[in-house]
Amino acid sequence: MFNLPDFDTVSASDAGATLTLVREDNGAIARDKDGNPITLTVLGSDSAQYRKAQQKNLNRRLAKRTVKVTAEELEAEALDILASATVAWSGFFDGIGDPIPCTPGNALDLYKSYPSIREQADRFVSDRANFLGSRLAA
């Protein structure tokens, strides 16, 4: 049976979902110093916050009245959008063992410094299935 609310990707994306990071070298779950999984809580690409960040970038381009966009600008915009969609995390510690707070600035630094984490987060955010759970499985 077709149930329209099962396809509500906006509400599910606004609620966010948790990504458990995996190690690139062996595919195992990445763990913090205490053995707990390292996670990111992110909003989906259909969330209001994600779309607002996309619109902000587009409005900036339109205000410039130019179609020229550099690769660097596109990458910076993508990083900003992903950082704005990152709302919580666990397992991130600084060099002396203190937890690193999840802020847009810290998320931006994380994604700039660790491309493999950025790629995992970007894939997760873009996959609507991560925000619908098992609702479509029936």
Side-chain angles (χ1 to χ4, degrees), residues 12-21 37-44 47 49 81-92 102-104 107 110-111 117 120-122 124-125 130-131:
S13 291
D14 283 336
T18 300
L19 160 66
T20 300
L21 294 176
I38 299 173
T39 64
L40 298 169
T41 302
V42 292
L43 306 178
S47 70
Q49 189 164 321
I81 292 169
L82 189 57
S84 76
T86 304
V87 295
W89 61 35
S90 66
F92 293 95
C102 181
T103 65
L110 175 74
Y111 296 134
I117 294 175
Q120 288 181 56
D122 197 34
F124 189 89
V125 165
N130 292 320
F131 300 90

PDB file of all heavy atoms in Angstrom, residues 12-21 37-44 47 49 81-92 102-104 107 110-111 117 120-122 124-125 130-131:
ATOM      1  N   ALA A  12      12.328  13.707   8.411  1.00  0.00           N
ATOM      2  CA  ALA A  12      13.379  12.775   8.819  1.00  0.00           C
ATOM      3  C   ALA A  12      14.758  13.427   8.714  1.00  0.00           C
ATOM      4  O   ALA A  12      15.620  13.223   9.571  1.00  0.00           O
ATOM      5  CB  ALA A  12      13.309  11.511   7.969  1.00  0.00           C
ATOM      6  N   SER A  13      14.971  14.222   7.679  1.00  0.00           N
ATOM      7  CA  SER A  13      16.259  14.905   7.512  1.00  0.00           C
ATOM      8  C   SER A  13      16.457  15.981   8.567  1.00  0.00           C
ATOM      9  O   SER A  13      17.566  16.191   9.056  1.00  0.00           O
ATOM     10  CB  SER A  13      16.363  15.518   6.116  1.00  0.00           C
ATOM     11  OG  SER A  13      16.475  14.520   5.134  1.00  0.00           O
ATOM     12  N   ASP A  14      15.369  16.678   8.929  1.00  0.00           N
ATOM     13  CA  ASP A  14      15.444  17.687   9.982  1.00  0.00           C
ATOM     14  C   ASP A  14      15.752  17.060  11.339  1.00  0.00           C
ATOM     15  O   ASP A  14      16.387  17.681  12.186  1.00  0.00           O
ATOM     16  CB  ASP A  14      14.135  18.473  10.081  1.00  0.00           C
ATOM     17  CG  ASP A  14      13.976  19.521   8.995  1.00  0.00           C
ATOM     18  OD1 ASP A  14      14.994  19.978   8.443  1.00  0.00           O
ATOM     19  OD2 ASP A  14      12.828  19.889   8.701  1.00  0.00           O
ATOM     20  N   ALA A  15      15.302  15.847  11.556  1.00  0.00           N
ATOM     21  CA  ALA A  15      15.554  15.151  12.822  1.00  0.00           C
ATOM     22  C   ALA A  15      17.007  14.684  12.930  1.00  0.00           C
ATOM     23  O   ALA A  15      17.542  14.570  14.027  1.00  0.00           O
ATOM     24  CB  ALA A  15      14.613  13.955  12.960  1.00  0.00           C
ATOM     25  N   GLY A  16      17.641  14.423  11.810  1.00  0.00           N
ATOM     26  CA  GLY A  16      19.031  13.974  11.814  1.00  0.00           C
ATOM     27  C   GLY A  16      19.159  12.472  12.008  1.00  0.00           C
ATOM     28  O   GLY A  16      18.199  11.789  12.353  1.00  0.00           O
ATOM     29  N   ALA A  17      20.348  11.987  11.761  1.00  0.00           N
ATOM     30  CA  ALA A  17      20.658  10.570  11.907  1.00  0.00           C
ATOM     31  C   ALA A  17      22.124  10.447  12.299  1.00  0.00           C
ATOM     32  O   ALA A  17      22.930  11.353  12.068  1.00  0.00           O
ATOM     33  CB  ALA A  17      20.380   9.816  10.610  1.00  0.00           C
ATOM     34  N   THR A  18      22.466   9.317  12.880  1.00  0.00           N
ATOM     35  CA  THR A  18      23.826   9.105  13.368  1.00  0.00           C
ATOM     36  C   THR A  18      24.611   8.205  12.426  1.00  0.00           C
ATOM     37  O   THR A  18      24.162   7.113  12.079  1.00  0.00           O
ATOM     38  CB  THR A  18      23.794   8.489  14.780  1.00  0.00           C
ATOM     39  OG1 THR A  18      23.105   9.406  15.642  1.00  0.00           O
ATOM     40  CG2 THR A  18      25.201   8.270  15.315  1.00  0.00           C
ATOM     41  N   LEU A  19      25.760   8.689  12.050  1.00  0.00           N
ATOM     42  CA  LEU A  19      26.720   7.951  11.224  1.00  0.00           C
ATOM     43  C   LEU A  19      27.816   7.426  12.135  1.00  0.00           C
ATOM     44  O   LEU A  19      28.423   8.196  12.881  1.00  0.00           O
ATOM     45  CB  LEU A  19      27.318   8.889  10.170  1.00  0.00           C
ATOM     46  CG  LEU A  19      28.641   8.496   9.521  1.00  0.00           C
ATOM     47  CD1 LEU A  19      28.486   7.239   8.678  1.00  0.00           C
ATOM     48  CD2 LEU A  19      29.185   9.635   8.678  1.00  0.00           C
ATOM     49  N   THR A  20      28.069   6.139  12.076  1.00  0.00           N
ATOM     50  CA  THR A  20      29.207   5.551  12.780  1.00  0.00           C
ATOM     51  C   THR A  20      30.359   5.489  11.788  1.00  0.00           C
ATOM     52  O   THR A  20      30.237   4.862  10.725  1.00  0.00           O
ATOM     53  CB  THR A  20      28.866   4.147  13.312  1.00  0.00           C
ATOM     54  OG1 THR A  20      27.767   4.265  14.223  1.00  0.00           O
ATOM     55  CG2 THR A  20      30.056   3.538  14.037  1.00  0.00           C
ATOM     56  N   LEU A  21      31.449   6.160  12.099  1.00  0.00           N
ATOM     57  CA  LEU A  21      32.584   6.203  11.185  1.00  0.00           C
ATOM     58  C   LEU A  21      33.277   4.852  11.115  1.00  0.00           C
ATOM     59  O   LEU A  21      33.318   4.101  12.093  1.00  0.00           O
ATOM     60  CB  LEU A  21      33.583   7.271  11.620  1.00  0.00           C
ATOM     61  CG  LEU A  21      33.078   8.706  11.543  1.00  0.00           C
ATOM     62  CD1 LEU A  21      34.127   9.667  12.100  1.00  0.00           C
ATOM     63  CD2 LEU A  21      32.719   9.088  10.114  1.00  0.00           C
ATOM     64  N   PRO A  37      32.306   3.668  19.742  1.00  0.00           N
ATOM     65  CA  PRO A  37      32.276   4.071  18.327  1.00  0.00           C
ATOM     66  C   PRO A  37      32.341   5.590  18.187  1.00  0.00           C
ATOM     67  O   PRO A  37      31.758   6.322  18.985  1.00  0.00           O
ATOM     68  CB  PRO A  37      30.936   3.541  17.833  1.00  0.00           C
ATOM     69  CG  PRO A  37      30.549   2.477  18.792  1.00  0.00           C
ATOM     70  CD  PRO A  37      31.136   2.880  20.121  1.00  0.00           C
ATOM     71  N   ILE A  38      33.044   6.034  17.168  1.00  0.00           N
ATOM     72  CA  ILE A  38      33.110   7.460  16.853  1.00  0.00           C
ATOM     73  C   ILE A  38      31.954   7.762  15.913  1.00  0.00           C
ATOM     74  O   ILE A  38      31.791   7.097  14.884  1.00  0.00           O
ATOM     75  CB  ILE A  38      34.458   7.831  16.218  1.00  0.00           C
ATOM     76  CG1 ILE A  38      35.601   7.529  17.202  1.00  0.00           C
ATOM     77  CG2 ILE A  38      34.476   9.295  15.797  1.00  0.00           C
ATOM     78  CD1 ILE A  38      36.980   7.711  16.616  1.00  0.00           C
ATOM     79  N   THR A  39      31.136   8.740  16.292  1.00  0.00           N
ATOM     80  CA  THR A  39      29.930   9.024  15.517  1.00  0.00           C
ATOM     81  C   THR A  39      29.794  10.502  15.177  1.00  0.00           C
ATOM     82  O   THR A  39      30.350  11.364  15.854  1.00  0.00           O
ATOM     83  CB  THR A  39      28.664   8.594  16.287  1.00  0.00           C
ATOM     84  OG1 THR A  39      28.546   9.381  17.473  1.00  0.00           O
ATOM     85  CG2 THR A  39      28.692   7.111  16.643  1.00  0.00           C
ATOM     86  N   LEU A  40      29.041  10.739  14.131  1.00  0.00           N
ATOM     87  CA  LEU A  40      28.608  12.076  13.738  1.00  0.00           C
ATOM     88  C   LEU A  40      27.092  12.049  13.660  1.00  0.00           C
ATOM     89  O   LEU A  40      26.526  11.098  13.110  1.00  0.00           O
ATOM     90  CB  LEU A  40      29.142  12.448  12.353  1.00  0.00           C
ATOM     91  CG  LEU A  40      30.634  12.540  12.140  1.00  0.00           C
ATOM     92  CD1 LEU A  40      30.952  12.651  10.655  1.00  0.00           C
ATOM     93  CD2 LEU A  40      31.190  13.738  12.878  1.00  0.00           C
ATOM     94  N   THR A  41      26.442  13.056  14.182  1.00  0.00           N
ATOM     95  CA  THR A  41      25.009  13.215  13.974  1.00  0.00           C
ATOM     96  C   THR A  41      24.836  14.338  12.970  1.00  0.00           C
ATOM     97  O   THR A  41      25.327  15.455  13.192  1.00  0.00           O
ATOM     98  CB  THR A  41      24.271  13.528  15.286  1.00  0.00           C
ATOM     99  OG1 THR A  41      24.540  12.472  16.201  1.00  0.00           O
ATOM    100  CG2 THR A  41      22.777  13.633  15.050  1.00  0.00           C
ATOM    101  N   VAL A  42      24.191  14.011  11.873  1.00  0.00           N
ATOM    102  CA  VAL A  42      24.075  14.960  10.769  1.00  0.00           C
ATOM    103  C   VAL A  42      22.628  15.077  10.312  1.00  0.00           C
ATOM    104  O   VAL A  42      21.821  14.166  10.511  1.00  0.00           O
ATOM    105  CB  VAL A  42      24.956  14.538   9.575  1.00  0.00           C
ATOM    106  CG1 VAL A  42      26.440  14.658   9.907  1.00  0.00           C
ATOM    107  CG2 VAL A  42      24.630  13.126   9.115  1.00  0.00           C
ATOM    108  N   LEU A  43      22.331  16.203   9.719  1.00  0.00           N
ATOM    109  CA  LEU A  43      21.026  16.428   9.112  1.00  0.00           C
ATOM    110  C   LEU A  43      21.100  15.984   7.661  1.00  0.00           C
ATOM    111  O   LEU A  43      22.158  16.037   7.037  1.00  0.00           O
ATOM    112  CB  LEU A  43      20.654  17.912   9.186  1.00  0.00           C
ATOM    113  CG  LEU A  43      20.699  18.541  10.575  1.00  0.00           C
ATOM    114  CD1 LEU A  43      20.353  20.026  10.494  1.00  0.00           C
ATOM    115  CD2 LEU A  43      19.765  17.819  11.532  1.00  0.00           C
ATOM    116  N   GLY A  44      19.978  15.569   7.121  1.00  0.00           N
ATOM    117  CA  GLY A  44      19.956  15.103   5.740  1.00  0.00           C
ATOM    118  C   GLY A  44      19.932  16.237   4.737  1.00  0.00           C
ATOM    119  O   GLY A  44      19.660  17.397   5.065  1.00  0.00           O
ATOM    120  N   SER A  47      16.944  18.520   4.695  1.00  0.00           N
ATOM    121  CA  SER A  47      16.619  19.309   5.884  1.00  0.00           C
ATOM    122  C   SER A  47      16.568  20.789   5.542  1.00  0.00           C
ATOM    123  O   SER A  47      17.218  21.261   4.596  1.00  0.00           O
ATOM    124  CB  SER A  47      17.643  19.072   6.992  1.00  0.00           C
ATOM    125  OG  SER A  47      18.885  19.647   6.656  1.00  0.00           O
ATOM    126  N   GLN A  49      17.857  23.204   7.247  1.00  0.00           N
ATOM    127  CA  GLN A  49      19.167  23.816   7.493  1.00  0.00           C
ATOM    128  C   GLN A  49      20.124  23.573   6.320  1.00  0.00           C
ATOM    129  O   GLN A  49      20.850  24.474   5.908  1.00  0.00           O
ATOM    130  CB  GLN A  49      19.761  23.252   8.784  1.00  0.00           C
ATOM    131  CG  GLN A  49      21.011  23.963   9.242  1.00  0.00           C
ATOM    132  CD  GLN A  49      21.338  23.646  10.682  1.00  0.00           C
ATOM    133  OE1 GLN A  49      20.452  23.554  11.523  1.00  0.00           O
ATOM    134  NE2 GLN A  49      22.609  23.478  10.980  1.00  0.00           N
ATOM    135  N   ILE A  81      28.452  23.697   3.770  1.00  0.00           N
ATOM    136  CA  ILE A  81      27.139  23.059   3.858  1.00  0.00           C
ATOM    137  C   ILE A  81      27.216  21.824   4.746  1.00  0.00           C
ATOM    138  O   ILE A  81      26.375  21.623   5.627  1.00  0.00           O
ATOM    139  CB  ILE A  81      26.613  22.702   2.451  1.00  0.00           C
ATOM    140  CG1 ILE A  81      26.292  23.982   1.679  1.00  0.00           C
ATOM    141  CG2 ILE A  81      25.388  21.794   2.545  1.00  0.00           C
ATOM    142  CD1 ILE A  81      26.016  23.752   0.199  1.00  0.00           C
ATOM    143  N   LEU A  82      28.235  21.012   4.538  1.00  0.00           N
ATOM    144  CA  LEU A  82      28.378  19.800   5.345  1.00  0.00           C
ATOM    145  C   LEU A  82      28.609  20.141   6.818  1.00  0.00           C
ATOM    146  O   LEU A  82      28.032  19.510   7.710  1.00  0.00           O
ATOM    147  CB  LEU A  82      29.518  18.940   4.800  1.00  0.00           C
ATOM    148  CG  LEU A  82      29.659  17.551   5.394  1.00  0.00           C
ATOM    149  CD1 LEU A  82      28.381  16.732   5.232  1.00  0.00           C
ATOM    150  CD2 LEU A  82      30.836  16.828   4.734  1.00  0.00           C
ATOM    151  N   ALA A  83      29.423  21.151   7.077  1.00  0.00           N
ATOM    152  CA  ALA A  83      29.668  21.567   8.462  1.00  0.00           C
ATOM    153  C   ALA A  83      28.377  22.069   9.112  1.00  0.00           C
ATOM    154  O   ALA A  83      28.122  21.783  10.284  1.00  0.00           O
ATOM    155  CB  ALA A  83      30.754  22.641   8.518  1.00  0.00           C
ATOM    156  N   SER A  84      27.557  22.787   8.356  1.00  0.00           N
ATOM    157  CA  SER A  84      26.306  23.296   8.921  1.00  0.00           C
ATOM    158  C   SER A  84      25.320  22.166   9.201  1.00  0.00           C
ATOM    159  O   SER A  84      24.437  22.310  10.045  1.00  0.00           O
ATOM    160  CB  SER A  84      25.675  24.341   7.997  1.00  0.00           C
ATOM    161  OG  SER A  84      25.057  23.732   6.882  1.00  0.00           O
ATOM    162  N   ALA A  85      25.463  21.046   8.507  1.00  0.00           N
ATOM    163  CA  ALA A  85      24.576  19.896   8.710  1.00  0.00           C
ATOM    164  C   ALA A  85      25.068  18.974   9.822  1.00  0.00           C
ATOM    165  O   ALA A  85      24.384  18.017  10.175  1.00  0.00           O
ATOM    166  CB  ALA A  85      24.443  19.106   7.405  1.00  0.00           C
ATOM    167  N   THR A  86      26.231  19.243  10.366  1.00  0.00           N
ATOM    168  CA  THR A  86      26.787  18.418  11.442  1.00  0.00           C
ATOM    169  C   THR A  86      26.375  19.035  12.774  1.00  0.00           C
ATOM    170  O   THR A  86      26.827  20.114  13.132  1.00  0.00           O
ATOM    171  CB  THR A  86      28.325  18.345  11.317  1.00  0.00           C
ATOM    172  OG1 THR A  86      28.648  17.847  10.012  1.00  0.00           O
ATOM    173  CG2 THR A  86      28.914  17.432  12.374  1.00  0.00           C
ATOM    174  N   VAL A  87      25.518  18.325  13.506  1.00  0.00           N
ATOM    175  CA  VAL A  87      24.917  18.909  14.708  1.00  0.00           C
ATOM    176  C   VAL A  87      25.435  18.309  16.012  1.00  0.00           C
ATOM    177  O   VAL A  87      25.218  18.883  17.086  1.00  0.00           O
ATOM    178  CB  VAL A  87      23.379  18.828  14.654  1.00  0.00           C
ATOM    179  CG1 VAL A  87      22.851  19.685  13.502  1.00  0.00           C
ATOM    180  CG2 VAL A  87      22.891  17.395  14.517  1.00  0.00           C
ATOM    181  N   ALA A  88      26.096  17.167  15.951  1.00  0.00           N
ATOM    182  CA  ALA A  88      26.655  16.557  17.167  1.00  0.00           C
ATOM    183  C   ALA A  88      27.681  15.514  16.747  1.00  0.00           C
ATOM    184  O   ALA A  88      27.711  15.065  15.594  1.00  0.00           O
ATOM    185  CB  ALA A  88      25.560  15.905  18.010  1.00  0.00           C
ATOM    186  N   TRP A  89      28.539  15.145  17.722  1.00  0.00           N
ATOM    187  CA  TRP A  89      29.476  14.047  17.482  1.00  0.00           C
ATOM    188  C   TRP A  89      29.940  13.472  18.793  1.00  0.00           C
ATOM    189  O   TRP A  89      29.753  14.068  19.854  1.00  0.00           O
ATOM    190  CB  TRP A  89      30.636  14.454  16.590  1.00  0.00           C
ATOM    191  CG  TRP A  89      31.557  15.555  17.066  1.00  0.00           C
ATOM    192  CD1 TRP A  89      31.958  15.827  18.348  1.00  0.00           C
ATOM    193  CD2 TRP A  89      32.234  16.500  16.250  1.00  0.00           C
ATOM    194  NE1 TRP A  89      32.832  16.892  18.376  1.00  0.00           N
ATOM    195  CE2 TRP A  89      33.021  17.330  17.098  1.00  0.00           C
ATOM    196  CE3 TRP A  89      32.269  16.744  14.887  1.00  0.00           C
ATOM    197  CZ2 TRP A  89      33.810  18.356  16.613  1.00  0.00           C
ATOM    198  CZ3 TRP A  89      33.062  17.775  14.419  1.00  0.00           C
ATOM    199  CH2 TRP A  89      33.812  18.572  15.277  1.00  0.00           C
ATOM    200  N   SER A  90      30.542  12.320  18.709  1.00  0.00           N
ATOM    201  CA  SER A  90      31.141  11.710  19.897  1.00  0.00           C
ATOM    202  C   SER A  90      32.436  11.033  19.482  1.00  0.00           C
ATOM    203  O   SER A  90      32.570  10.542  18.359  1.00  0.00           O
ATOM    204  CB  SER A  90      30.193  10.691  20.533  1.00  0.00           C
ATOM    205  OG  SER A  90      30.003   9.585  19.665  1.00  0.00           O
ATOM    206  N   GLY A  91      33.397  11.069  20.397  1.00  0.00           N
ATOM    207  CA  GLY A  91      34.656  10.390  20.151  1.00  0.00           C
ATOM    208  C   GLY A  91      35.776  11.240  19.595  1.00  0.00           C
ATOM    209  O   GLY A  91      36.825  10.716  19.233  1.00  0.00           O
ATOM    210  N   PHE A  92      35.598  12.537  19.539  1.00  0.00           N
ATOM    211  CA  PHE A  92      36.640  13.424  19.025  1.00  0.00           C
ATOM    212  C   PHE A  92      37.317  14.131  20.196  1.00  0.00           C
ATOM    213  O   PHE A  92      36.667  14.841  20.969  1.00  0.00           O
ATOM    214  CB  PHE A  92      36.060  14.450  18.049  1.00  0.00           C
ATOM    215  CG  PHE A  92      35.550  13.829  16.781  1.00  0.00           C
ATOM    216  CD1 PHE A  92      34.214  13.496  16.646  1.00  0.00           C
ATOM    217  CD2 PHE A  92      36.415  13.545  15.744  1.00  0.00           C
ATOM    218  CE1 PHE A  92      33.741  12.915  15.491  1.00  0.00           C
ATOM    219  CE2 PHE A  92      35.958  12.958  14.577  1.00  0.00           C
ATOM    220  CZ  PHE A  92      34.619  12.636  14.447  1.00  0.00           C
ATOM    221  N   CYS A 102      31.392  20.012  19.291  1.00  0.00           N
ATOM    222  CA  CYS A 102      30.873  20.040  17.925  1.00  0.00           C
ATOM    223  C   CYS A 102      30.298  21.426  17.659  1.00  0.00           C
ATOM    224  O   CYS A 102      29.247  21.795  18.171  1.00  0.00           O
ATOM    225  CB  CYS A 102      29.798  18.967  17.744  1.00  0.00           C
ATOM    226  SG  CYS A 102      29.133  18.936  16.065  1.00  0.00           S
ATOM    227  N   THR A 103      31.042  22.200  16.876  1.00  0.00           N
ATOM    228  CA  THR A 103      30.604  23.523  16.435  1.00  0.00           C
ATOM    229  C   THR A 103      30.764  23.560  14.924  1.00  0.00           C
ATOM    230  O   THR A 103      31.531  22.756  14.356  1.00  0.00           O
ATOM    231  CB  THR A 103      31.468  24.638  17.053  1.00  0.00           C
ATOM    232  OG1 THR A 103      32.814  24.502  16.552  1.00  0.00           O
ATOM    233  CG2 THR A 103      31.468  24.582  18.582  1.00  0.00           C
ATOM    234  N   PRO A 104      30.077  24.470  14.242  1.00  0.00           N
ATOM    235  CA  PRO A 104      30.284  24.553  12.796  1.00  0.00           C
ATOM    236  C   PRO A 104      31.750  24.779  12.418  1.00  0.00           C
ATOM    237  O   PRO A 104      32.248  24.196  11.461  1.00  0.00           O
ATOM    238  CB  PRO A 104      29.400  25.735  12.378  1.00  0.00           C
ATOM    239  CG  PRO A 104      28.309  25.745  13.404  1.00  0.00           C
ATOM    240  CD  PRO A 104      28.990  25.348  14.692  1.00  0.00           C
ATOM    241  N   ALA A 107      33.624  21.535  12.964  1.00  0.00           N
ATOM    242  CA  ALA A 107      33.223  20.580  11.925  1.00  0.00           C
ATOM    243  C   ALA A 107      33.900  20.937  10.600  1.00  0.00           C
ATOM    244  O   ALA A 107      34.390  20.049   9.885  1.00  0.00           O
ATOM    245  CB  ALA A 107      31.708  20.563  11.772  1.00  0.00           C
ATOM    246  N   LEU A 110      37.427  19.806  10.822  1.00  0.00           N
ATOM    247  CA  LEU A 110      37.480  18.348  10.730  1.00  0.00           C
ATOM    248  C   LEU A 110      37.417  17.897   9.277  1.00  0.00           C
ATOM    249  O   LEU A 110      38.247  17.100   8.826  1.00  0.00           O
ATOM    250  CB  LEU A 110      36.315  17.729  11.519  1.00  0.00           C
ATOM    251  CG  LEU A 110      36.170  16.215  11.424  1.00  0.00           C
ATOM    252  CD1 LEU A 110      37.240  15.514  12.250  1.00  0.00           C
ATOM    253  CD2 LEU A 110      34.773  15.785  11.853  1.00  0.00           C
ATOM    254  N   TYR A 111      36.455  18.418   8.544  1.00  0.00           N
ATOM    255  CA  TYR A 111      36.277  17.994   7.158  1.00  0.00           C
ATOM    256  C   TYR A 111      37.404  18.459   6.252  1.00  0.00           C
ATOM    257  O   TYR A 111      37.761  17.773   5.297  1.00  0.00           O
ATOM    258  CB  TYR A 111      34.921  18.457   6.625  1.00  0.00           C
ATOM    259  CG  TYR A 111      33.758  17.826   7.353  1.00  0.00           C
ATOM    260  CD1 TYR A 111      32.690  18.587   7.781  1.00  0.00           C
ATOM    261  CD2 TYR A 111      33.732  16.457   7.629  1.00  0.00           C
ATOM    262  CE1 TYR A 111      31.620  18.010   8.452  1.00  0.00           C
ATOM    263  CE2 TYR A 111      32.675  15.877   8.304  1.00  0.00           C
ATOM    264  CZ  TYR A 111      31.625  16.649   8.709  1.00  0.00           C
ATOM    265  OH  TYR A 111      30.573  16.081   9.370  1.00  0.00           O
ATOM    266  N   ILE A 117      36.869  11.302   6.452  1.00  0.00           N
ATOM    267  CA  ILE A 117      35.693  11.558   7.295  1.00  0.00           C
ATOM    268  C   ILE A 117      34.693  12.400   6.518  1.00  0.00           C
ATOM    269  O   ILE A 117      33.487  12.142   6.541  1.00  0.00           O
ATOM    270  CB  ILE A 117      36.099  12.235   8.625  1.00  0.00           C
ATOM    271  CG1 ILE A 117      36.946  11.270   9.465  1.00  0.00           C
ATOM    272  CG2 ILE A 117      34.864  12.699   9.393  1.00  0.00           C
ATOM    273  CD1 ILE A 117      37.503  11.876  10.740  1.00  0.00           C
ATOM    274  N   GLN A 120      32.807  10.162   4.084  1.00  0.00           N
ATOM    275  CA  GLN A 120      31.801   9.331   4.744  1.00  0.00           C
ATOM    276  C   GLN A 120      30.575  10.163   5.115  1.00  0.00           C
ATOM    277  O   GLN A 120      29.432   9.739   4.899  1.00  0.00           O
ATOM    278  CB  GLN A 120      32.378   8.670   5.997  1.00  0.00           C
ATOM    279  CG  GLN A 120      33.368   7.562   5.705  1.00  0.00           C
ATOM    280  CD  GLN A 120      33.888   6.911   6.964  1.00  0.00           C
ATOM    281  OE1 GLN A 120      33.103   6.431   7.778  1.00  0.00           O
ATOM    282  NE2 GLN A 120      35.205   6.899   7.132  1.00  0.00           N
ATOM    283  N   ALA A 121      30.816  11.346   5.669  1.00  0.00           N
ATOM    284  CA  ALA A 121      29.707  12.218   6.071  1.00  0.00           C
ATOM    285  C   ALA A 121      28.910  12.678   4.859  1.00  0.00           C
ATOM    286  O   ALA A 121      27.672  12.679   4.881  1.00  0.00           O
ATOM    287  CB  ALA A 121      30.234  13.406   6.858  1.00  0.00           C
ATOM    288  N   ASP A 122      29.592  13.052   3.808  1.00  0.00           N
ATOM    289  CA  ASP A 122      28.928  13.544   2.608  1.00  0.00           C
ATOM    290  C   ASP A 122      28.044  12.456   1.988  1.00  0.00           C
ATOM    291  O   ASP A 122      26.894  12.717   1.615  1.00  0.00           O
ATOM    292  CB  ASP A 122      29.970  14.040   1.607  1.00  0.00           C
ATOM    293  CG  ASP A 122      29.383  14.928   0.541  1.00  0.00           C
ATOM    294  OD1 ASP A 122      28.437  15.677   0.839  1.00  0.00           O
ATOM    295  OD2 ASP A 122      29.866  14.864  -0.607  1.00  0.00           O
ATOM    296  N   PHE A 124      26.744   9.884   3.530  1.00  0.00           N
ATOM    297  CA  PHE A 124      25.660   9.605   4.467  1.00  0.00           C
ATOM    298  C   PHE A 124      24.566  10.658   4.372  1.00  0.00           C
ATOM    299  O   PHE A 124      23.373  10.331   4.306  1.00  0.00           O
ATOM    300  CB  PHE A 124      26.230   9.540   5.890  1.00  0.00           C
ATOM    301  CG  PHE A 124      25.255   9.039   6.916  1.00  0.00           C
ATOM    302  CD1 PHE A 124      25.154   7.684   7.188  1.00  0.00           C
ATOM    303  CD2 PHE A 124      24.463   9.915   7.632  1.00  0.00           C
ATOM    304  CE1 PHE A 124      24.266   7.211   8.142  1.00  0.00           C
ATOM    305  CE2 PHE A 124      23.574   9.454   8.593  1.00  0.00           C
ATOM    306  CZ  PHE A 124      23.475   8.096   8.839  1.00  0.00           C
ATOM    307  N   VAL A 125      24.948  11.920   4.363  1.00  0.00           N
ATOM    308  CA  VAL A 125      23.989  13.029   4.307  1.00  0.00           C
ATOM    309  C   VAL A 125      23.167  12.973   3.019  1.00  0.00           C
ATOM    310  O   VAL A 125      21.968  13.277   3.025  1.00  0.00           O
ATOM    311  CB  VAL A 125      24.730  14.383   4.427  1.00  0.00           C
ATOM    312  CG1 VAL A 125      23.860  15.546   4.016  1.00  0.00           C
ATOM    313  CG2 VAL A 125      25.251  14.575   5.836  1.00  0.00           C
ATOM    314  N   ASN A 130      19.215   6.796   4.766  1.00  0.00           N
ATOM    315  CA  ASN A 130      19.735   6.927   6.127  1.00  0.00           C
ATOM    316  C   ASN A 130      18.795   7.695   7.045  1.00  0.00           C
ATOM    317  O   ASN A 130      18.906   7.610   8.259  1.00  0.00           O
ATOM    318  CB  ASN A 130      21.097   7.615   6.114  1.00  0.00           C
ATOM    319  CG  ASN A 130      22.152   6.744   5.482  1.00  0.00           C
ATOM    320  OD1 ASN A 130      22.182   5.545   5.689  1.00  0.00           O
ATOM    321  ND2 ASN A 130      23.009   7.350   4.683  1.00  0.00           N
ATOM    322  N   PHE A 131      17.878   8.444   6.453  1.00  0.00           N
ATOM    323  CA  PHE A 131      16.973   9.273   7.235  1.00  0.00           C
ATOM    324  C   PHE A 131      15.542   8.737   7.248  1.00  0.00           C
ATOM    325  O   PHE A 131      14.684   9.281   7.906  1.00  0.00           O
ATOM    326  CB  PHE A 131      17.023  10.715   6.731  1.00  0.00           C
ATOM    327  CG  PHE A 131      18.398  11.276   6.846  1.00  0.00           C
ATOM    328  CD1 PHE A 131      19.317  11.151   5.816  1.00  0.00           C
ATOM    329  CD2 PHE A 131      18.820  11.868   8.019  1.00  0.00           C
ATOM    330  CE1 PHE A 131      20.614  11.625   5.947  1.00  0.00           C
ATOM    331  CE2 PHE A 131      20.112  12.344   8.151  1.00  0.00           C
ATOM    332  CZ  PHE A 131      21.003  12.218   7.117  1.00  0.00           C
TER     333      PHE A 131
END
